[in-house]
Amino acid sequence: MKFAFFTLGCKVNLFETQALTQLAAERGHEIVERGADAVIVNTCTVTSVSDHKNIRAFHKLRRDNPDAVIAACGCFAQIDPERVGATGEIDIVCGTTDRAQIIERCEAAVQGREAAPIPESHGYELLPAGIPQGRTRALLKIEDGCNNFCTYCIIPYARGRVRSLPPDEVLREAARLCAAGVHEIVLTGIEIASYGQDLKPRLTLTGLLEQLLAAQPETRFRLGSLDPRIIDDAFCERLRGFDNLARHFHLSMQSGCDSVLRRMGRKYTSDEFYACCERLRAAFPDCSITTDLIVGFPGESEEEFQTTLRFLNKCAFASVHVFPYSPREGTKAAAMPGQLDKAVKAERAERAKQTAAALSEQYRRRFEGAALEVLPEHPAGGVWAAHGRYGFLVYLKGEGVRKNHPVRVRLSTLYKDGLMGEIIE
């Protein structure tokens, strides 16, 4: 059969779609972009805007594939299966714990036969890490679920509680990716800082990283988004000696104002967050510390917003992803008083982005003239985009650039969201 895949949302969804693509190929199916017998769409539900994007995608996929079986899986399908089905575009609805069976259900639907019932599962969903075409960088999902229940977030209800991929499976998958020629592995999950909470014997993310980094010393490992509380003295002391750990740490902040953090249900203060940044810089000099920021949270005053802007400058982030708050039905924050109008949120988002742009420029200028090994990944408007050990892209010119062949470069001037580099080796 011919299978097509469509992904909305985060890197975890991207990993899961890559895994489904691999499973379909292993069952002898052809992966196509059009003319499919079956289409699988992996949905997102992090905000109400995401829900609308899902529905628009359903309509477009049906228009483009009028005769195909279309299946929806993922967070939106888990949270609101009735709404998914009510669109009239989706033939099969799965959730977030039964994706491995969705290929078989699509096969049965295309062939007009009944699929076997899906057994209920509350454990970790084992999916193979997809090996990307060209084998440059790969995602490896090590954890699913979240126990934090922040007031603005629906994901714990969509994904469930923390579940960890057993360490021997993590090591096995990493070894398989490395053997296939992958040079960088990005460890991802819904809340990877909680890795191992459900394991017996318990193993922390720090302990898992020690094993991974030692087992694959020639492969760079990059961490996905981290709860800042994972950045303790043990994390820094035990991992600082591993050269193959990317010097890029994305700490989930959301606000730099303590009163807003409390309303969000975050479990740290701004002082504690800043201490984590200082620990990282002491252990990993020049590291990229990046973050997420929600502006216009319910009740956020101009003074609270100004406190957050000052905190951005204090932390000197290498990059900040700015999001205006979007109410998500079913969360505590959506029912809070003091909802701000779109114009206020948009104006604050623009001011925060201006601050973030200035910080990014300041950080990247430090590297002008520095030498760095980078991994070319894809052409980008006449140049190649490449990844180094830090959190910014390096752009390369020249006929000697080849995908998945590491090169040493001299960084020169700022370019787009990164720096230009010239090959020196």
Side-chain angles (χ1 to χ4, degrees):
M1 296 178 189
K2 295 179 179 179
F3 271 75
F5 295 86
F6 189 84
T7 308
L8 297 110
C10 64
K11 286 183 178 178
V12 176
N13 273 13
L14 181 58
F15 166 88
E16 290 159 352
T17 299
Q18 290 175 349
L20 291 176
T21 302
Q22 182 168 307
L23 289 173
E26 289 173 353
R27 292 173 73 90
H29 301 304
E30 181 183 356
I31 310 303
V32 298
E33 293 185 3
R34 56 180 60 88
D37 300 306
V39 179
I40 297 175
V41 54
N42 200 356
T43 62
C44 173
T45 194
V46 67
T47 66
S48 297
V49 173
S50 303
D51 292 353
H52 294 303
K53 288 181 178 179
N54 292 318
I55 293 171
R56 288 197 298 270
F58 297 163
H59 293 314
K60 184 178 188 306
L61 289 170
R62 177 55 71 194
R63 288 195 305 270
D64 294 345
N65 304 272
D67 300 320
V69 168
I70 301 182
C73 63
C75 293
F76 184 46
Q78 178 75 31
I79 285 291
D80 205 343
E82 292 81 10
R83 190 176 175 192
V84 173
T87 64
E89 313 289 12
I90 302 301
D91 302 300
I92 299 170
V93 181
C94 295
T96 58
T97 60
D98 49 13
R99 270 172 291 243
Q101 290 80 28
I102 200 170
I103 304 293
E104 184 178 340
R105 293 189 68 186
C106 286
E107 292 169 345
V110 171
Q111 294 168 354
R113 59 181 173 83
E114 184 113 5
I118 296 174
E120 186 174 355
S121 173
H122 300 285
Y124 190 89
E125 180 185 32
L126 288 173
L127 292 171
I131 298 174
Q133 187 176 6
R135 296 170 173 78
T136 299
R137 305 166 78 224
L139 297 171
L140 177 53
K141 177 183 163 187
I142 62 170
E143 179 273 342
D144 205 341
C146 182
N147 298 347
N148 290 334
F149 292 92
C150 300
T151 60
Y152 54 83
C153 187
I154 199 73
I155 298 304
Y157 303 96
R159 291 276 180 168
R161 296 297 183 116
V162 168
R163 304 177 306 285
S164 307
L165 183 63
D168 57 339
E169 292 286 345
V170 178
L171 291 166
R172 188 177 299 115
E173 283 291 274
R176 183 175 66 85
L177 292 171
C178 295
V182 170
H183 286 284
E184 178 174 304
I185 296 175
V186 182
L187 300 179
T188 189
I190 298 300
E191 216 288 274
I192 64 172
S194 295
Y195 177 87
Q197 288 184 3
D198 57 320
L199 297 178
K200 295 181 180 179
R202 184 169 176 175
L203 179 69
T204 64
L205 177 64
T206 302
L208 176 70
L209 286 170
E210 284 182 311
Q211 295 183 37
L212 272 176
L213 295 164
Q216 304 295 341
E218 302 303 315
T219 302
R220 184 164 61 220
F221 288 85
R222 191 179 301 269
L223 298 175
S225 180
L226 295 169
D227 184 303
R229 293 173 296 169
I230 191 70
I231 310 299
D232 56 13
D233 290 336
F235 179 96
C236 294
E237 288 302 318
R238 291 163 63 181
L239 301 179
R240 68 192 305 172
F242 289 100
D243 194 55
N244 57 329
L245 176 63
R247 271 36 179 176
H248 177 201
F249 304 97
H250 187 86
L251 305 185
S252 181
M253 182 184 76
Q254 312 307 353
S255 176
C257 176
D258 288 340
S259 53
V260 177
L261 287 171
R262 285 192 295 272
R263 294 200 298 276
M264 289 179 165
R266 304 295 286 177
K267 297 176 175 62
Y268 50 82
T269 66
S270 59
D271 284 345
E272 290 167 340
F273 187 100
Y274 181 71
C276 294
C277 295
E278 292 297 280
R279 287 189 200 103
L280 286 173
R281 291 191 170 109
F284 308 97
D286 293 325
C287 65
S288 299
I289 301 178
T290 61
T291 197
D292 299 313
L293 172 64
I294 297 173
V295 300
F297 192 75
E300 183 186 64
S301 67
E302 175 63 23
E303 182 180 353
E304 288 174 322
F305 176 65
Q306 289 287 347
T307 297
T308 287
L309 290 184
R310 289 191 293 271
F311 191 69
L312 293 180
N313 284 296
K314 180 179 179 180
C315 290
F317 292 111
S319 177
V320 182
H321 298 158
V322 180
F323 304 93
Y325 170 73
S326 176
R328 179 58 176 86
E329 185 180 350
T331 63
K332 291 181 179 179
M336 285 180 177
Q339 301 285 332
L340 304 182
D341 63 42
K342 289 184 179 180
V344 172
K345 291 187 284 189
E347 188 269 341
R348 288 184 183 172
E350 183 57 33
R351 288 157 63 192
K353 287 176 182 177
Q354 290 174 4
T355 297
L359 291 172
S360 173
E361 181 175 328
Q362 291 170 20
Y363 174 74
R364 286 178 287 135
R365 284 201 182 282
R366 289 195 230 163
F367 293 88
E368 292 179 337
L372 183 67
E373 184 180 274
V374 299
L375 183 63
E377 185 169 41
H378 57 82
V383 296
W384 277 80
H387 291 271
R389 69 198 306 223
Y390 301 103
F392 53 82
L393 287 171
V394 175
Y395 294 92
L396 306 173
K397 293 181 180 179
E399 296 180 357
V401 181
R402 290 187 294 163
K403 181 181 177 72
N404 201 36
H405 286 265
V407 291
R408 192 161 181 80
V409 301
R410 180 78 60 190
L411 303 178
S412 55
T413 58
L414 299 184
Y415 183 78
K416 295 184 178 179
D417 53 348
L419 291 107
M420 288 297 298
E422 299 175 2
I423 298 175
I424 57 177
E425 284 184 27

